[in-house]
Amino acid sequence: MKFESATIKDIAKALNLSTSTVSRALRGSYEISAETKKQVLEYAEKINYRPNPIALSLKERRTRSIGIVVSEIANNFFSQAINGIESIAYNKGYHVIITQSHESQDRERVNVEHLAARGVDGLLISLSSESVDISYLKELHEKGLPIVFFDRITPEIETHTVTANNYLGAFHATEHLIYEGYKKIAHITSSPYLSITKERLEGYREALAKHNIVFNDSLIKYCTHGGMISAEVEDALAALFKSKTKPDAIFTAGDRLTLTCYSLVKQMKLKKEAGFIGFSNTVVGDLFSPSLTVVKQPASEIGQSAIEFLIQIIESKRPVTDFQHRVLDTELIIRESSKKI
């Protein structure tokens, strides 16, 4: 049996009103009496009437849908950011369509083009680790598609961006390890193309410089898939601990990377346990053994800010030319893994 939802015509027939009267009553028009509005709204609720989204999109030339592109929904940071996005979007009458790039530029491009073809009103995107050529985004933006970047951003498109303070988060994490007495701090990070990689590496370097510790390039390892491929992290750790300058601490620069690396370090059963801090929004850091010191990002707030910016662009009567780069503070949560034994 084909599902058929209730329509304005059904309400009009049941209440012996014209469809135009019902339509205006549902919109809260001043032309309709309070008594009639009450009658229409109560009956609409009774039969579970919902406006037809296709009809609305044709009338308003909008779909009231927003596309989201992230690397991985299972990533703690992104799942929390999406929760923040949804909390604002649904309250504003928008639906979200979530896609994953899995750190692939090709998949990201396909997702973006599919979302654009479906007529989304705007796009929220955190770039994949492979996204060097973003011409497909530039083309859509130039055609008028509102785009806002969050977390992993680019200066190549003039629009709003929302990030955590990656520089300070990395600086404070590295400095904390130095204060604990660690000197040979390895930094395992993601693709060198990403904005977050550059900003966190800069914070790491500046903390070393402040405390007169010479930067050692051999202690930097890039995992281009950010911990999604365990073998990449295994190779990085093997190279670090086989080198002459073995690290006495590790600082990881991503959520998935942190959890993958920490798990692998535990399996290595090192003679002397290395100190450990990572960027991560895991809510179970205190359940690890030893409990995990993390740099926590305000993921939900980042998502909320990003969607608010995007809706402002979508609903603006005039072209938006004044853009903001919003940077939110991180929080260093100190637990046992970063303390020197």
Side-chain angles (χ1 to χ4, degrees), residues 89-117:
Y90 289 138
N91 286 338
K92 296 281 188 179
Y94 289 87
H95 292 274
V96 299
I97 304 170
I98 305 165
T99 65
Q100 303 178 86
S101 67
H102 294 287
E103 303 293 13
S104 162
Q105 179 172 289
D106 288 341
R107 188 173 293 193
E108 178 181 277
R109 178 181 53 77
V110 169
N111 289 344
V112 166
E113 291 174 351
H114 175 71
L115 290 167

PDB file of all heavy atoms in Angstrom, residues 89-117:
ATOM      1  N   ALA A  89      20.318  23.603  13.445  1.00  0.00           N
ATOM      2  CA  ALA A  89      19.647  23.459  12.152  1.00  0.00           C
ATOM      3  C   ALA A  89      18.176  23.116  12.304  1.00  0.00           C
ATOM      4  O   ALA A  89      17.300  23.755  11.700  1.00  0.00           O
ATOM      5  CB  ALA A  89      20.353  22.402  11.310  1.00  0.00           C
ATOM      6  N   TYR A  90      17.871  22.114  13.125  1.00  0.00           N
ATOM      7  CA  TYR A  90      16.489  21.667  13.246  1.00  0.00           C
ATOM      8  C   TYR A  90      15.613  22.729  13.917  1.00  0.00           C
ATOM      9  O   TYR A  90      14.449  22.879  13.558  1.00  0.00           O
ATOM     10  CB  TYR A  90      16.417  20.340  14.007  1.00  0.00           C
ATOM     11  CG  TYR A  90      16.953  19.182  13.197  1.00  0.00           C
ATOM     12  CD1 TYR A  90      17.770  18.210  13.766  1.00  0.00           C
ATOM     13  CD2 TYR A  90      16.652  19.055  11.841  1.00  0.00           C
ATOM     14  CE1 TYR A  90      18.266  17.152  13.016  1.00  0.00           C
ATOM     15  CE2 TYR A  90      17.145  18.009  11.089  1.00  0.00           C
ATOM     16  CZ  TYR A  90      17.948  17.062  11.672  1.00  0.00           C
ATOM     17  OH  TYR A  90      18.444  16.028  10.914  1.00  0.00           O
ATOM     18  N   ASN A  91      16.188  23.451  14.852  1.00  0.00           N
ATOM     19  CA  ASN A  91      15.430  24.532  15.495  1.00  0.00           C
ATOM     20  C   ASN A  91      15.126  25.667  14.526  1.00  0.00           C
ATOM     21  O   ASN A  91      14.176  26.417  14.717  1.00  0.00           O
ATOM     22  CB  ASN A  91      16.200  25.083  16.702  1.00  0.00           C
ATOM     23  CG  ASN A  91      16.162  24.134  17.891  1.00  0.00           C
ATOM     24  OD1 ASN A  91      15.277  23.289  17.992  1.00  0.00           O
ATOM     25  ND2 ASN A  91      17.126  24.258  18.776  1.00  0.00           N
ATOM     26  N   LYS A  92      15.950  25.778  13.478  1.00  0.00           N
ATOM     27  CA  LYS A  92      15.751  26.824  12.467  1.00  0.00           C
ATOM     28  C   LYS A  92      14.961  26.310  11.261  1.00  0.00           C
ATOM     29  O   LYS A  92      14.780  27.020  10.279  1.00  0.00           O
ATOM     30  CB  LYS A  92      17.109  27.339  11.988  1.00  0.00           C
ATOM     31  CG  LYS A  92      17.941  28.029  13.062  1.00  0.00           C
ATOM     32  CD  LYS A  92      17.471  29.446  13.301  1.00  0.00           C
ATOM     33  CE  LYS A  92      18.432  30.180  14.234  1.00  0.00           C
ATOM     34  NZ  LYS A  92      18.024  31.576  14.466  1.00  0.00           N
ATOM     35  N   GLY A  93      14.524  25.053  11.343  1.00  0.00           N
ATOM     36  CA  GLY A  93      13.712  24.510  10.256  1.00  0.00           C
ATOM     37  C   GLY A  93      14.502  23.908   9.114  1.00  0.00           C
ATOM     38  O   GLY A  93      13.973  23.738   8.005  1.00  0.00           O
ATOM     39  N   TYR A  94      15.773  23.551   9.352  1.00  0.00           N
ATOM     40  CA  TYR A  94      16.601  22.951   8.310  1.00  0.00           C
ATOM     41  C   TYR A  94      16.888  21.482   8.648  1.00  0.00           C
ATOM     42  O   TYR A  94      16.982  21.114   9.811  1.00  0.00           O
ATOM     43  CB  TYR A  94      17.940  23.688   8.191  1.00  0.00           C
ATOM     44  CG  TYR A  94      17.823  25.071   7.587  1.00  0.00           C
ATOM     45  CD1 TYR A  94      17.544  26.167   8.393  1.00  0.00           C
ATOM     46  CD2 TYR A  94      18.016  25.276   6.227  1.00  0.00           C
ATOM     47  CE1 TYR A  94      17.437  27.442   7.855  1.00  0.00           C
ATOM     48  CE2 TYR A  94      17.918  26.548   5.678  1.00  0.00           C
ATOM     49  CZ  TYR A  94      17.624  27.626   6.495  1.00  0.00           C
ATOM     50  OH  TYR A  94      17.523  28.881   5.962  1.00  0.00           O
ATOM     51  N   HIS A  95      17.044  20.686   7.615  1.00  0.00           N
ATOM     52  CA  HIS A  95      17.483  19.303   7.762  1.00  0.00           C
ATOM     53  C   HIS A  95      18.920  19.196   7.260  1.00  0.00           C
ATOM     54  O   HIS A  95      19.344  19.979   6.412  1.00  0.00           O
ATOM     55  CB  HIS A  95      16.579  18.352   6.977  1.00  0.00           C
ATOM     56  CG  HIS A  95      15.187  18.265   7.538  1.00  0.00           C
ATOM     57  ND1 HIS A  95      14.841  17.403   8.548  1.00  0.00           N
ATOM     58  CD2 HIS A  95      14.071  18.960   7.244  1.00  0.00           C
ATOM     59  CE1 HIS A  95      13.572  17.567   8.855  1.00  0.00           C
ATOM     60  NE2 HIS A  95      13.073  18.505   8.070  1.00  0.00           N
ATOM     61  N   VAL A  96      19.658  18.232   7.781  1.00  0.00           N
ATOM     62  CA  VAL A  96      21.047  18.069   7.360  1.00  0.00           C
ATOM     63  C   VAL A  96      21.238  16.734   6.652  1.00  0.00           C
ATOM     64  O   VAL A  96      20.594  15.738   6.974  1.00  0.00           O
ATOM     65  CB  VAL A  96      22.018  18.183   8.551  1.00  0.00           C
ATOM     66  CG1 VAL A  96      21.908  19.548   9.212  1.00  0.00           C
ATOM     67  CG2 VAL A  96      21.789  17.084   9.578  1.00  0.00           C
ATOM     68  N   ILE A  97      22.132  16.749   5.669  1.00  0.00           N
ATOM     69  CA  ILE A  97      22.523  15.539   4.946  1.00  0.00           C
ATOM     70  C   ILE A  97      24.019  15.363   5.198  1.00  0.00           C
ATOM     71  O   ILE A  97      24.815  16.212   4.800  1.00  0.00           O
ATOM     72  CB  ILE A  97      22.243  15.661   3.437  1.00  0.00           C
ATOM     73  CG1 ILE A  97      20.769  15.991   3.180  1.00  0.00           C
ATOM     74  CG2 ILE A  97      22.639  14.365   2.721  1.00  0.00           C
ATOM     75  CD1 ILE A  97      20.475  16.364   1.737  1.00  0.00           C
ATOM     76  N   ILE A  98      24.384  14.278   5.867  1.00  0.00           N
ATOM     77  CA  ILE A  98      25.768  14.082   6.315  1.00  0.00           C
ATOM     78  C   ILE A  98      26.488  13.105   5.394  1.00  0.00           C
ATOM     79  O   ILE A  98      25.980  12.020   5.103  1.00  0.00           O
ATOM     80  CB  ILE A  98      25.800  13.552   7.762  1.00  0.00           C
ATOM     81  CG1 ILE A  98      25.021  14.497   8.689  1.00  0.00           C
ATOM     82  CG2 ILE A  98      27.236  13.398   8.249  1.00  0.00           C
ATOM     83  CD1 ILE A  98      24.696  13.888  10.044  1.00  0.00           C
ATOM     84  N   THR A  99      27.681  13.490   4.937  1.00  0.00           N
ATOM     85  CA  THR A  99      28.495  12.607   4.109  1.00  0.00           C
ATOM     86  C   THR A  99      29.911  12.520   4.678  1.00  0.00           C
ATOM     87  O   THR A  99      30.347  13.402   5.420  1.00  0.00           O
ATOM     88  CB  THR A  99      28.572  13.097   2.645  1.00  0.00           C
ATOM     89  OG1 THR A  99      29.255  14.358   2.612  1.00  0.00           O
ATOM     90  CG2 THR A  99      27.183  13.265   2.048  1.00  0.00           C
ATOM     91  N   GLN A 100      30.626  11.451   4.300  1.00  0.00           N
ATOM     92  CA  GLN A 100      31.991  11.229   4.785  1.00  0.00           C
ATOM     93  C   GLN A 100      32.964  11.139   3.605  1.00  0.00           C
ATOM     94  O   GLN A 100      32.672  10.471   2.613  1.00  0.00           O
ATOM     95  CB  GLN A 100      32.067   9.915   5.566  1.00  0.00           C
ATOM     96  CG  GLN A 100      31.110   9.815   6.736  1.00  0.00           C
ATOM     97  CD  GLN A 100      31.221   8.468   7.429  1.00  0.00           C
ATOM     98  OE1 GLN A 100      32.053   8.273   8.295  1.00  0.00           O
ATOM     99  NE2 GLN A 100      30.376   7.522   7.033  1.00  0.00           N
ATOM    100  N   SER A 101      34.102  11.797   3.749  1.00  0.00           N
ATOM    101  CA  SER A 101      35.118  11.730   2.696  1.00  0.00           C
ATOM    102  C   SER A 101      36.096  10.583   2.924  1.00  0.00           C
ATOM    103  O   SER A 101      36.783  10.158   1.997  1.00  0.00           O
ATOM    104  CB  SER A 101      35.913  13.038   2.632  1.00  0.00           C
ATOM    105  OG  SER A 101      36.701  13.201   3.805  1.00  0.00           O
ATOM    106  N   HIS A 102      36.203  10.089   4.160  1.00  0.00           N
ATOM    107  CA  HIS A 102      37.195   9.070   4.523  1.00  0.00           C
ATOM    108  C   HIS A 102      38.598   9.500   4.087  1.00  0.00           C
ATOM    109  O   HIS A 102      39.402   8.687   3.629  1.00  0.00           O
ATOM    110  CB  HIS A 102      36.829   7.709   3.935  1.00  0.00           C
ATOM    111  CG  HIS A 102      35.570   7.137   4.520  1.00  0.00           C
ATOM    112  ND1 HIS A 102      35.510   6.614   5.798  1.00  0.00           N
ATOM    113  CD2 HIS A 102      34.306   7.046   4.010  1.00  0.00           C
ATOM    114  CE1 HIS A 102      34.274   6.209   6.045  1.00  0.00           C
ATOM    115  NE2 HIS A 102      33.520   6.462   4.992  1.00  0.00           N
ATOM    116  N   GLU A 103      38.861  10.793   4.226  1.00  0.00           N
ATOM    117  CA  GLU A 103      40.150  11.425   3.909  1.00  0.00           C
ATOM    118  C   GLU A 103      40.503  11.334   2.423  1.00  0.00           C
ATOM    119  O   GLU A 103      41.669  11.469   2.042  1.00  0.00           O
ATOM    120  CB  GLU A 103      41.289  10.835   4.754  1.00  0.00           C
ATOM    121  CG  GLU A 103      41.081  10.924   6.258  1.00  0.00           C
ATOM    122  CD  GLU A 103      41.097  12.358   6.807  1.00  0.00           C
ATOM    123  OE1 GLU A 103      41.028  13.314   6.010  1.00  0.00           O
ATOM    124  OE2 GLU A 103      41.146  12.513   8.037  1.00  0.00           O
ATOM    125  N   SER A 104      39.523  11.133   1.578  1.00  0.00           N
ATOM    126  CA  SER A 104      39.754  11.041   0.132  1.00  0.00           C
ATOM    127  C   SER A 104      39.225  12.293  -0.565  1.00  0.00           C
ATOM    128  O   SER A 104      38.055  12.643  -0.408  1.00  0.00           O
ATOM    129  CB  SER A 104      39.058   9.797  -0.436  1.00  0.00           C
ATOM    130  OG  SER A 104      38.914   9.896  -1.836  1.00  0.00           O
ATOM    131  N   GLN A 105      40.094  12.934  -1.340  1.00  0.00           N
ATOM    132  CA  GLN A 105      39.657  14.112  -2.086  1.00  0.00           C
ATOM    133  C   GLN A 105      38.630  13.731  -3.147  1.00  0.00           C
ATOM    134  O   GLN A 105      37.657  14.463  -3.373  1.00  0.00           O
ATOM    135  CB  GLN A 105      40.847  14.803  -2.751  1.00  0.00           C
ATOM    136  CG  GLN A 105      40.428  16.036  -3.573  1.00  0.00           C
ATOM    137  CD  GLN A 105      41.612  16.835  -4.066  1.00  0.00           C
ATOM    138  OE1 GLN A 105      42.282  17.483  -3.286  1.00  0.00           O
ATOM    139  NE2 GLN A 105      41.864  16.788  -5.365  1.00  0.00           N
ATOM    140  N   ASP A 106      38.822  12.597  -3.806  1.00  0.00           N
ATOM    141  CA  ASP A 106      37.869  12.162  -4.833  1.00  0.00           C
ATOM    142  C   ASP A 106      36.485  11.937  -4.236  1.00  0.00           C
ATOM    143  O   ASP A 106      35.477  12.350  -4.809  1.00  0.00           O
ATOM    144  CB  ASP A 106      38.356  10.863  -5.500  1.00  0.00           C
ATOM    145  CG  ASP A 106      39.548  11.105  -6.419  1.00  0.00           C
ATOM    146  OD1 ASP A 106      39.761  12.257  -6.819  1.00  0.00           O
ATOM    147  OD2 ASP A 106      40.273  10.127  -6.704  1.00  0.00           O
ATOM    148  N   ARG A 107      36.444  11.278  -3.092  1.00  0.00           N
ATOM    149  CA  ARG A 107      35.147  11.028  -2.456  1.00  0.00           C
ATOM    150  C   ARG A 107      34.534  12.336  -1.971  1.00  0.00           C
ATOM    151  O   ARG A 107      33.323  12.522  -2.072  1.00  0.00           O
ATOM    152  CB  ARG A 107      35.299  10.051  -1.299  1.00  0.00           C
ATOM    153  CG  ARG A 107      33.965   9.612  -0.717  1.00  0.00           C
ATOM    154  CD  ARG A 107      34.098   8.511   0.309  1.00  0.00           C
ATOM    155  NE  ARG A 107      34.549   7.261  -0.289  1.00  0.00           N
ATOM    156  CZ  ARG A 107      34.511   6.093   0.345  1.00  0.00           C
ATOM    157  NH1 ARG A 107      34.063   6.010   1.586  1.00  0.00           N
ATOM    158  NH2 ARG A 107      34.940   5.001  -0.251  1.00  0.00           N
ATOM    159  N   GLU A 108      35.370  13.222  -1.463  1.00  0.00           N
ATOM    160  CA  GLU A 108      34.867  14.531  -1.032  1.00  0.00           C
ATOM    161  C   GLU A 108      34.229  15.271  -2.208  1.00  0.00           C
ATOM    162  O   GLU A 108      33.133  15.824  -2.081  1.00  0.00           O
ATOM    163  CB  GLU A 108      36.021  15.357  -0.459  1.00  0.00           C
ATOM    164  CG  GLU A 108      35.627  16.768  -0.023  1.00  0.00           C
ATOM    165  CD  GLU A 108      36.823  17.528   0.504  1.00  0.00           C
ATOM    166  OE1 GLU A 108      37.159  17.346   1.682  1.00  0.00           O
ATOM    167  OE2 GLU A 108      37.430  18.300  -0.273  1.00  0.00           O
ATOM    168  N   ARG A 109      34.903  15.277  -3.346  1.00  0.00           N
ATOM    169  CA  ARG A 109      34.373  15.958  -4.535  1.00  0.00           C
ATOM    170  C   ARG A 109      33.040  15.347  -4.963  1.00  0.00           C
ATOM    171  O   ARG A 109      32.081  16.071  -5.258  1.00  0.00           O
ATOM    172  CB  ARG A 109      35.384  15.881  -5.681  1.00  0.00           C
ATOM    173  CG  ARG A 109      34.891  16.522  -6.979  1.00  0.00           C
ATOM    174  CD  ARG A 109      35.938  16.397  -8.071  1.00  0.00           C
ATOM    175  NE  ARG A 109      36.377  15.028  -8.259  1.00  0.00           N
ATOM    176  CZ  ARG A 109      35.689  14.094  -8.907  1.00  0.00           C
ATOM    177  NH1 ARG A 109      34.497  14.388  -9.438  1.00  0.00           N
ATOM    178  NH2 ARG A 109      36.164  12.866  -9.038  1.00  0.00           N
ATOM    179  N   VAL A 110      32.965  14.016  -5.001  1.00  0.00           N
ATOM    180  CA  VAL A 110      31.721  13.340  -5.375  1.00  0.00           C
ATOM    181  C   VAL A 110      30.597  13.709  -4.412  1.00  0.00           C
ATOM    182  O   VAL A 110      29.464  13.991  -4.819  1.00  0.00           O
ATOM    183  CB  VAL A 110      31.925  11.804  -5.416  1.00  0.00           C
ATOM    184  CG1 VAL A 110      30.585  11.094  -5.527  1.00  0.00           C
ATOM    185  CG2 VAL A 110      32.827  11.420  -6.578  1.00  0.00           C
ATOM    186  N   ASN A 111      30.905  13.720  -3.120  1.00  0.00           N
ATOM    187  CA  ASN A 111      29.900  14.076  -2.115  1.00  0.00           C
ATOM    188  C   ASN A 111      29.410  15.504  -2.297  1.00  0.00           C
ATOM    189  O   ASN A 111      28.209  15.774  -2.240  1.00  0.00           O
ATOM    190  CB  ASN A 111      30.482  13.913  -0.705  1.00  0.00           C
ATOM    191  CG  ASN A 111      30.683  12.470  -0.299  1.00  0.00           C
ATOM    192  OD1 ASN A 111      30.130  11.561  -0.910  1.00  0.00           O
ATOM    193  ND2 ASN A 111      31.481  12.248   0.729  1.00  0.00           N
ATOM    194  N   VAL A 112      30.349  16.405  -2.504  1.00  0.00           N
ATOM    195  CA  VAL A 112      30.001  17.824  -2.687  1.00  0.00           C
ATOM    196  C   VAL A 112      29.123  18.004  -3.917  1.00  0.00           C
ATOM    197  O   VAL A 112      28.095  18.699  -3.880  1.00  0.00           O
ATOM    198  CB  VAL A 112      31.279  18.683  -2.801  1.00  0.00           C
ATOM    199  CG1 VAL A 112      30.955  20.079  -3.328  1.00  0.00           C
ATOM    200  CG2 VAL A 112      31.976  18.782  -1.451  1.00  0.00           C
ATOM    201  N   GLU A 113      29.505  17.382  -5.020  1.00  0.00           N
ATOM    202  CA  GLU A 113      28.735  17.530  -6.264  1.00  0.00           C
ATOM    203  C   GLU A 113      27.353  16.890  -6.138  1.00  0.00           C
ATOM    204  O   GLU A 113      26.370  17.409  -6.685  1.00  0.00           O
ATOM    205  CB  GLU A 113      29.523  16.921  -7.425  1.00  0.00           C
ATOM    206  CG  GLU A 113      30.769  17.740  -7.768  1.00  0.00           C
ATOM    207  CD  GLU A 113      31.652  17.077  -8.816  1.00  0.00           C
ATOM    208  OE1 GLU A 113      31.394  15.892  -9.158  1.00  0.00           O
ATOM    209  OE2 GLU A 113      32.597  17.735  -9.284  1.00  0.00           O
ATOM    210  N   HIS A 114      27.270  15.781  -5.411  1.00  0.00           N
ATOM    211  CA  HIS A 114      25.972  15.134  -5.185  1.00  0.00           C
ATOM    212  C   HIS A 114      25.067  16.033  -4.339  1.00  0.00           C
ATOM    213  O   HIS A 114      23.873  16.191  -4.647  1.00  0.00           O
ATOM    214  CB  HIS A 114      26.171  13.790  -4.493  1.00  0.00           C
ATOM    215  CG  HIS A 114      24.888  13.106  -4.125  1.00  0.00           C
ATOM    216  ND1 HIS A 114      24.054  12.547  -5.064  1.00  0.00           N
ATOM    217  CD2 HIS A 114      24.285  12.910  -2.915  1.00  0.00           C
ATOM    218  CE1 HIS A 114      22.997  12.023  -4.455  1.00  0.00           C
ATOM    219  NE2 HIS A 114      23.117  12.232  -3.155  1.00  0.00           N
ATOM    220  N   LEU A 115      25.615  16.613  -3.293  1.00  0.00           N
ATOM    221  CA  LEU A 115      24.828  17.500  -2.431  1.00  0.00           C
ATOM    222  C   LEU A 115      24.350  18.728  -3.213  1.00  0.00           C
ATOM    223  O   LEU A 115      23.198  19.155  -3.076  1.00  0.00           O
ATOM    224  CB  LEU A 115      25.670  17.938  -1.228  1.00  0.00           C
ATOM    225  CG  LEU A 115      25.965  16.847  -0.193  1.00  0.00           C
ATOM    226  CD1 LEU A 115      27.051  17.302   0.764  1.00  0.00           C
ATOM    227  CD2 LEU A 115      24.702  16.464   0.577  1.00  0.00           C
ATOM    228  N   ALA A 116      25.236  19.272  -4.030  1.00  0.00           N
ATOM    229  CA  ALA A 116      24.855  20.438  -4.847  1.00  0.00           C
ATOM    230  C   ALA A 116      23.755  20.066  -5.836  1.00  0.00           C
ATOM    231  O   ALA A 116      22.801  20.832  -6.054  1.00  0.00           O
ATOM    232  CB  ALA A 116      26.080  20.979  -5.579  1.00  0.00           C
ATOM    233  N   ALA A 117      23.852  18.867  -6.426  1.00  0.00           N
ATOM    234  CA  ALA A 117      22.838  18.415  -7.382  1.00  0.00           C
ATOM    235  C   ALA A 117      21.487  18.215  -6.708  1.00  0.00           C
ATOM    236  O   ALA A 117      20.440  18.393  -7.342  1.00  0.00           O
ATOM    237  CB  ALA A 117      23.292  17.117  -8.046  1.00  0.00           C
TER     238      ALA A 117
END
